[in-house]
Amino acid sequence: IAFGEEQEALVVNSWNVMKQHAADTALSFFLKIFEIAPSATQLFSFLRDADVPLDKNPKLKAHAMAVFTMACESAAQLRKTGKVAVRETTLKKLGATHINSGVIDEHFEVVKFALLETIKDAVPEMWCPEMKDAWGQAYDHLAAAIKEEMKLLS
Ligand code: HEM
Ligand code: ISQ
């Protein structure tokens, strides 16, 4: 399915609403991942090392927001160029972080599902199949780029 202005707008508009509740969105995203694959949350060092509750963890919020922001930027790039553009240095770092943390390809499906469920819960009045598809495409392209980088490093 084509990725045009409508698809980009579905992603950007919903993100603009969600980011006004960044802390809630971040926590709900992480809890979804935990629900689907509890063992995957063990991969996060900022939780293994944490001495504050989940909802007070500053790294959890910052990192979770980064995932949404990157998917949103990926949507803008998809619309403009038909592919994902992440800075080479950023991509290298992401590949390394994920490989070194023990992330495997299957985890990307878990995170995708959690991301979509989080959006659905955060903006139920905006949610529709087209929005799900637009976020799904933006995420898939980004995930493919990170997985490719991980493959080069392993
Ligand atoms: C770290 C984004 C998929 C687990 C990070 C960071 C970002 C990020 C921005 C911080 C990087 C850094 O500190 O250098 C993304 C994006 C993803 C994705 C955009 C998909 C498109 C996944 C998946 C998993 C995962 C599928 C597996 C559950 C982790 C872990 C860390 C991390 C364990 C390291 C956290 C730590 O211990 O500090 N990710 N991620 N990520 N991500 Fe992801
Ligand atoms: C990092 N990578 C993927 C998903 C995440 C969710 C919450 C916090 C950090 C993350």
Side-chain angles (χ1 to χ4, degrees), residues 5 11 18 46-47 57 79-80 99 113 119 125 132:
E5 272 171 39
V11 171
M18 281 185 277
F46 55 78
L47 292 185
N57 193 312
R79 202 263 303 154
K80 284 193 209 112
I99 273 278
F113 191 82
I119 301 163
E125 70 292 345
K132 180 179 178 180

Side-chain angles (χ1 to χ4, degrees), residues 33 40-48 59 62-63 66-68 70-71 93-94 97-98 101-112 138-140 142-144 146:
I33 298 175
T41 52
Q42 294 294 315
L43 302 171
F44 293 88
S45 67
F46 55 78
L47 292 185
R48 291 196 306 269
K59 281 201 174 167
H63 282 190
V67 179
F68 279 92
M70 290 189 71
K93 189 166 172 252
L94 281 177
T97 306
H98 289 92
S101 305
V103 174
I104 54 170
D105 279 10
E106 285 71 22
H107 288 135
F108 282 85
E109 285 305 307
V110 173
V111 169
K112 179 182 182 182
Y139 176 88
D140 283 346
L142 179 59
I146 299 174

Side-chain angles (χ1 to χ4, degrees), residues 1-17:
I1 316 166
F3 205 97
E5 272 171 39
E6 265 173 56
Q7 280 70 27
E8 183 188 6
L10 286 166
V11 171
V12 173
N13 294 344
S14 52
W15 172 236
N16 282 336
V17 175

